[in-house]
Amino acid sequence: MTITPIDGKQRDLGDGFVVRRMLPHLKARHVGPFVFFDQMGPASFGEDKGMDVRPHPHIGLATVTWLFQGAIRHRDSLGSAVDIHPGDVNWMTAGRGIAHSERTPPDERHSGQDLHGIQVWVALPKTHERIDPEFHHHPASTLPVVERDGARLVVIAGEAFGVSSPVRVFAPMFFVEARLEAGARVTMPEQHAEWGAYVVEGAARFGDLPLGALDMAVAHEGEAPVLEATQPSLIMLFGGAPLDGERHLWWNFVASSKELIEAAKVEWAEGRFPLVPGDESERIPLPSY
């Protein structure tokens, strides 16, 4: 088994809203199908302030939002308009192309809110990267929870610890929120070949590697590693089967070929992605880099 520590990069997006980007990384471009991993916040927005991510496009991936605090209103070009709260899952499959926006809902914007969560991108297998886009919202009550030996494990997506999430996925994977008491031990799901752990709060050992808050480690080959909390901890577990080939990432696009990326760039620049109902007046322009 090979374990690799991952050090993230922090980016301040303004108004005290900080994002810590862990994947992609030079040491791990992807872990299972996970090609992008961000921690949002924690951030505190004052009255009449909030997050405003204007409409922007995606292809070739599924985006996943998981909140610990706060609320985000998701709108997309399929007509979806859903507020996500802690414990719920917003799973958006971009496929051949979708546009969406993410904003603080009006009530939370008026009163101010704390926002903290995780956003990941899951690359679609080549057989599905051009499928029709989809959006599914799964309330917290629909997700399976495994409780044992000081561990509470919420299976957000995929299969792990003997249970399966209702979220539709396209390749073997797992995405789990683990809340662990000090001394709790969890063996990573043995049916998968690649594993990752990100410590949101607390401290742990991943195999023989110590991890503190905001640390990540990834593993592959050999036996599934054991995660042990050395103090009360909140840790995200993720991974799955190796990707079926490398992926190109450019801005918000993920694809198995550069040609698909170039085509998506032209479509967005020329306004050929569908509009986001209820959020038609703004869009993020195609970057110049």
Side-chain angles (χ1 to χ4, degrees), residues 60-99:
L61 54 79
T63 67
V64 192
T65 302
W66 181 256
L67 292 181
F68 309 121
Q69 293 176 288
I72 296 174
R73 176 159 296 176
H74 166 97
R75 294 184 184 272
D76 63 42
S77 50
L78 299 176
S80 312
V82 180
D83 289 352
I84 182 173
H85 297 91
D88 300 337
V89 175
N90 273 5
W91 183 282
M92 185 182 75
T93 300
R96 58 181 171 77
I98 196 169

Side-chain angles (χ1 to χ4, degrees), residues 115-160:
L115 184 65
H116 188 198
I118 301 291
Q119 287 194 320
V120 300
W121 294 355
V122 176
L124 299 176
K126 294 177 183 177
T127 53
H128 292 81
E129 67 178 337
R130 298 292 292 166
I131 63 172
D132 290 341
E134 300 177 350
F135 175 80
H136 300 284
H137 176 84
H138 297 269
S141 61
T142 65
L143 301 182
V145 178
V146 177
E147 297 192 58
R148 63 187 188 200
D149 302 326
R152 184 180 189 274
L153 309 167
V154 181
V155 180
I156 301 165
E159 182 179 350

